[in-house]
PDB file of all heavy atoms in Angstrom:
ATOM      1  N   THR A 511     -16.978 -11.771  23.949  1.00 96.00           N
ATOM      2  CA  THR A 511     -17.020 -12.661  25.124  1.00 96.00           C
ATOM      3  C   THR A 511     -15.596 -13.017  25.357  1.00 96.00           C
ATOM      4  O   THR A 511     -14.774 -13.356  24.493  1.00 96.00           O
ATOM      5  CB  THR A 511     -17.796 -13.926  24.718  1.00 96.00           C
ATOM      6  OG1 THR A 511     -19.053 -13.532  24.149  1.00 96.00           O
ATOM      7  CG2 THR A 511     -18.007 -14.777  25.960  1.00 96.00           C
ATOM      8  N   ASN A 512     -15.226 -13.055  26.699  1.00 96.00           N
ATOM      9  CA  ASN A 512     -13.923 -13.415  27.039  1.00 96.00           C
ATOM     10  C   ASN A 512     -13.775 -14.891  27.134  1.00 96.00           C
ATOM     11  O   ASN A 512     -14.723 -15.674  27.557  1.00 96.00           O
ATOM     12  CB  ASN A 512     -13.567 -12.887  28.467  1.00 96.00           C
ATOM     13  CG  ASN A 512     -13.379 -11.415  28.466  1.00 96.00           C
ATOM     14  OD1 ASN A 512     -13.120 -10.811  27.502  1.00 96.00           O
ATOM     15  ND2 ASN A 512     -13.438 -10.869  29.638  1.00 96.00           N
ATOM     16  N   LEU A 513     -12.593 -15.504  26.692  1.00 92.00           N
ATOM     17  CA  LEU A 513     -12.244 -16.842  26.912  1.00 92.00           C
ATOM     18  C   LEU A 513     -10.935 -16.765  27.727  1.00 92.00           C
ATOM     19  O   LEU A 513      -9.917 -16.330  27.227  1.00 92.00           O
ATOM     20  CB  LEU A 513     -11.935 -17.578  25.589  1.00 92.00           C
ATOM     21  CG  LEU A 513     -12.999 -17.561  24.555  1.00 92.00           C
ATOM     22  CD1 LEU A 513     -12.490 -18.123  23.271  1.00 92.00           C
ATOM     23  CD2 LEU A 513     -14.281 -18.346  24.968  1.00 92.00           C
ATOM     24  N   THR A 514     -11.016 -17.092  29.005  1.00 78.00           N
ATOM     25  CA  THR A 514      -9.850 -16.850  29.870  1.00 78.00           C
ATOM     26  C   THR A 514      -8.666 -17.751  29.559  1.00 78.00           C
ATOM     27  O   THR A 514      -7.562 -17.359  29.765  1.00 78.00           O
ATOM     28  CB  THR A 514     -10.174 -16.989  31.392  1.00 78.00           C
ATOM     29  OG1 THR A 514     -11.048 -18.022  31.527  1.00 78.00           O
ATOM     30  CG2 THR A 514     -10.853 -15.638  31.852  1.00 78.00           C
ATOM     31  N   VAL A 515      -8.842 -18.946  29.059  1.00 82.00           N
ATOM     32  CA  VAL A 515      -7.741 -19.790  28.681  1.00 82.00           C
ATOM     33  C   VAL A 515      -7.513 -19.497  27.193  1.00 82.00           C
ATOM     34  O   VAL A 515      -8.361 -19.800  26.383  1.00 82.00           O
ATOM     35  CB  VAL A 515      -8.074 -21.348  28.889  1.00 82.00           C
ATOM     36  CG1 VAL A 515      -6.870 -22.141  28.510  1.00 82.00           C
ATOM     37  CG2 VAL A 515      -8.509 -21.504  30.310  1.00 82.00           C
ATOM     38  N   ASN A 516      -6.342 -18.939  26.881  1.00 76.00           N
ATOM     39  CA  ASN A 516      -6.103 -18.514  25.530  1.00 76.00           C
ATOM     40  C   ASN A 516      -6.237 -19.660  24.474  1.00 76.00           C
ATOM     41  O   ASN A 516      -6.666 -19.382  23.347  1.00 76.00           O
ATOM     42  CB  ASN A 516      -4.804 -17.741  25.315  1.00 76.00           C
ATOM     43  CG  ASN A 516      -3.622 -18.497  25.689  1.00 76.00           C
ATOM     44  OD1 ASN A 516      -3.630 -19.687  25.777  1.00 76.00           O
ATOM     45  ND2 ASN A 516      -2.463 -17.790  25.816  1.00 76.00           N
ATOM     46  N   THR A 517      -5.857 -20.858  24.874  1.00 83.00           N
ATOM     47  CA  THR A 517      -5.893 -21.957  23.851  1.00 83.00           C
ATOM     48  C   THR A 517      -7.289 -22.363  23.498  1.00 83.00           C
ATOM     49  O   THR A 517      -7.534 -23.081  22.602  1.00 83.00           O
ATOM     50  CB  THR A 517      -5.039 -23.174  24.376  1.00 83.00           C
ATOM     51  OG1 THR A 517      -5.391 -23.420  25.726  1.00 83.00           O
ATOM     52  CG2 THR A 517      -3.546 -22.949  24.287  1.00 83.00           C
ATOM     53  N   ASP A 518      -8.270 -21.960  24.330  1.00 89.00           N
ATOM     54  CA  ASP A 518      -9.680 -22.312  24.093  1.00 89.00           C
ATOM     55  C   ASP A 518     -10.116 -21.723  22.696  1.00 89.00           C
ATOM     56  O   ASP A 518     -10.921 -22.340  21.998  1.00 89.00           O
ATOM     57  CB  ASP A 518     -10.602 -21.694  25.102  1.00 89.00           C
ATOM     58  CG  ASP A 518     -10.631 -22.596  26.408  1.00 89.00           C
ATOM     59  OD1 ASP A 518      -9.926 -23.602  26.362  1.00 89.00           O
ATOM     60  OD2 ASP A 518     -11.308 -22.137  27.402  1.00 89.00           O
TER      61      ASP A 518
END
Side-chain angles (χ1 to χ4, degrees):
T511 309
N512 289 339
L513 306 171
T514 41
V515 181
N516 62 10
T517 46
D518 283 356

